[in-house]
Amino acid sequence: MIITREPGGTPGAEAIRDLLMTGGVDRWSARVEALLFAAARADHVERVIRPAVERGDWVICDRFIDSTRAYQGGAGGLSDAEIMALHGVGSGGLLPDRTLLLALAQDEASERARVRDGGDNDRFAGKSADYHRRLGAAFERLATAEPERFRRIDADGSIDAVSDRLSAALDDLL
């Protein structure tokens, strides 16, 4: 099993991650972010994900194309067609078998992120409450449009309880 993340997962993609996650919230437009995410993802897919899948390994990735569709698409204003065109070129259109959407009240999610990050917000955490509302709505639209691939997970509760829900959402694939 391979456990990885986006942006990141390879030295090149980690370098792009540093560009994306640091600086002011207005450092990059949604269009530039989408291009940078697509470049990082292309490297990650080529060097880590596709070889693992071809070997028959399971790949668990913290974020993938659906995050770009929600962040730069639904919350950032780019069309899904634009984002998926970039994904088609950069990553051959590879889609996950399952996307787990963790649902949690915004204030609780913000607090968990603050604790996780030691109070240092990345560029995305520092965006406005309106941006985060649009982001949540975009993820919900994606999950509603693709119920065969998405599973909504109640992220409220203990780590063990949430982990059990995540595992249960994968039972049909195992």
Side-chain angles (χ1 to χ4, degrees), residues 35-115:
L35 289 163
L36 289 168
F37 276 111
R41 183 171 302 113
D43 191 56
H44 191 211
V45 166
E46 180 180 313
R47 296 175 186 271
V48 174
I49 295 174
R50 200 168 298 279
V53 170
E54 288 170 358
R55 286 191 310 269
D57 289 341
W58 281 86
V59 177
I60 297 175
C61 187
D62 179 4
R63 303 189 185 270
F64 198 65
I65 185 61
D66 296 315
S67 291
T68 302
R69 295 170 74 194
Y71 277 82
Q72 285 69 46
L78 295 181
S79 75
D80 200 51
E82 290 172 309
I83 291 167
M84 293 308 287
L86 286 173
H87 185 61
V89 170
S91 299
L94 181 69
L95 291 175
D97 293 322
R98 179 70 36 88
T99 294
L100 303 174
L101 175 59
L102 281 75
L104 190 63
Q106 183 58 48
D107 47 339
E108 176 64 18
S110 295
E111 176 60 17
R112 286 186 187 180
R114 186 191 65 72
V115 169

